[in-house]
Amino acid sequence: MRDDFENIRAERDLPYRPSTSSSNYAGLWKQIALGIVVGYSVLGVLSAAGWWMFAKLALSGLQITSQ
């Protein structure tokens, strides 16, 4: 029995052309929006923690007494 290698080819029938309609930056706006939201949230938490520490230190020497 003889092997038939006529149907096995390394080259393509059509020349390879990458699709130009889809952009490489298609999901970039989602990443930018997510970065803004996460960054703003982290800065808000750090700011709240900083103000809490400042208030705790500033009010630690304050003593309220009733007369």
Side-chain angles (χ1 to χ4, degrees), residues 7-64:
N7 293 331
I8 300 174
R9 299 191 305 190
E11 70 271 4
R12 297 174 182 264
D13 289 337
L14 298 173
Y16 175 72
R17 283 183 235 142
S19 62
T20 57
S21 63
S22 66
S23 174
N24 290 338
Y25 305 108
L28 185 61
W29 69 271
K30 294 177 189 175
Q31 294 178 358
I32 292 172
L34 183 64
I36 291 171
V37 169
V38 170
Y40 186 76
S41 300
V42 169
L43 284 176
V45 168
L46 288 176
S47 176
W51 279 111
W52 179 74
M53 290 292 290
F54 173 74
K56 188 168 183 144
L57 289 174
L59 297 175
S60 64
L62 190 64
Q63 192 172 29
I64 300 174

Side-chain angles (χ1 to χ4, degrees), residues 2-8:
R2 188 170 176 197
D3 291 331
D4 185 18
F5 293 106
E6 288 297 319
N7 293 331
I8 300 174

